């Protein structure tokens, strides 16, 4: 049994006690196998009524608290979690499954593998719906920019899940060709002058609001849920409806 990075995951059978260090995977597990989910990070905010032990953040998890929960499996992500924390958990004898997700297709395959291989579960209805909705790319129709931070300004760049999600929904990311990394730092004038039809302002990781962001641009802006742009899992079903019908 191997995770997305090819690392061996020493499970003797389907996991029944799982700690998730990834908000989107927490939501996916809660929607699929709620009884198996025993721990999650403070950033795991969906579903809103989630009642499990909290193990601090994605970048600074409380490893002792995780071990105390005696999980069969800890679920992590290559981008969201630190390799150091994964290694320390494995050194302590805890099985860790690390996902690697940079495209819509990878998200669907990765989640299906995790649920079937590690938990012994068939694809749930939300995953079947997401696969059906996202199976056919929409023709390009709008150009968008997606800031994720300000002071300094940072935007979504290439080889990211969000970039591929936008492309599949018919939205061309004007910073998809950036040579400055996956989340490049840019100045405000560069965002406003990049030729986007609309600037999408999410509420995470930076919480853009009507009072903090739209006033900076001459380009039309739209406040959107960051969860719909960055979370793979049940959020993908709602995200398809928003992004494929988006107007400036």
């Amino acid at each position: 049994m191997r995770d997305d990075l090819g690392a061996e995951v020493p499970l003797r059978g389907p996991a029944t006690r799982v700690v998730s260090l990834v908000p989107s995977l927490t939501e996916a597990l809660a929607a699929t196998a709620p009884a198996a989910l025993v721990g999650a990070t403070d950033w795991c905010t969906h579903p809103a009524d989630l009642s499990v032990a909290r193990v601090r953040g994605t970048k600074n998890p409380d490893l002792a608290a995780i071990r105390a929960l005696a999980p069969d499996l800890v679920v992590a992500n290559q981008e969201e979690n630190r390799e150091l924390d994964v290694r320390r958990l494995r050194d302590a004898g805890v099985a860790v499954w690390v996902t690697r997700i940079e495209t819509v297709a990878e998200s669907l395959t990765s989640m299906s593998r995790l649920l079937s291989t590690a938990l012994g579960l068939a694809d749930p209805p939300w995953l079947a719906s997401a696969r059906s909705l996202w199976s056919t790319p929409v023709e390009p129709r709008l150009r968008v920019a997606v800031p994720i931070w300000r002071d300094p300004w940072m935007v979504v760049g290439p080889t990211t899940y969000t970039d591929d999600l936008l492309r599949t929904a018919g939205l061309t990311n004007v910073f998809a060709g950036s040579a400055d990394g996956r989340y490049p730092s840019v100045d405000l004038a560069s965002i406003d002058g990049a030729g986007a039809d609309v600037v999408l302002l999410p509420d995470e990781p930076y919480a853009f609001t009507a009072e903090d962001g739209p006033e900076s641009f001459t380009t039309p802006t739209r406040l959107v849920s960051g969860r719909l742009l960055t979370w793979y899992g049940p959020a993908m079903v709602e995200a398809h409806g928003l992004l494929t019908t988006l107007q400036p």
Side-chain angles (χ1 to χ4, degrees), residues 20-115:
S20 173
L21 303 182
V22 188
S24 48
L25 292 178
T26 297
E27 182 179 29
L29 290 165
T32 308
L37 188 63
V38 298
T41 74
D42 294 341
W43 297 104
C44 296
T45 55
H46 289 268
D49 60 352
L50 181 65
S51 179
V52 296
R54 299 293 176 162
V55 295
R56 220 156 53 200
T58 57
K59 306 296 187 187
N60 65 336
D62 186 332
L63 304 185
I66 293 172
R67 293 194 303 270
L69 290 170
D72 301 317
L73 184 68
V74 172
V75 178
N77 175 262
Q78 183 184 36
E79 178 176 347
E80 293 205 43
N81 305 115
R82 301 191 308 166
E83 182 183 0
L84 175 62
D85 294 320
V86 170
R87 186 168 66 249
R88 286 175 172 171
L89 285 168
R90 286 174 172 162
D91 288 345
V94 179
V96 183
W97 183 291
V98 181
T99 59
R100 177 186 182 275
I101 296 173
E102 294 181 355
T103 67
V104 171
E106 284 180 350
S107 73
L108 298 170
T109 299
S110 177
M111 289 185 294
S112 183
R113 284 190 65 242
L114 170 64
L115 294 173

Side-chain angles (χ1 to χ4, degrees), residues 147 150-151 153 188 192 199 201 206-223:
R150 63 178 299 170
D151 301 325
W153 288 92
L188 179 59
D192 214 17
V199 175
L201 298 174
Y206 185 91
F208 287 103
T209 67
E211 291 74 38
D212 184 16
E215 81 289 345
S216 302
F217 299 94
T218 57
T219 304
T221 62
R222 172 80 177 270
L223 295 172

Side-chain angles (χ1 to χ4, degrees), residues 119-135:
L119 280 79
L121 300 172
D123 284 356
W126 64 261
L127 184 51
S129 294
R131 182 177 290 110
S132 176
L133 288 169
W134 290 99
S135 61

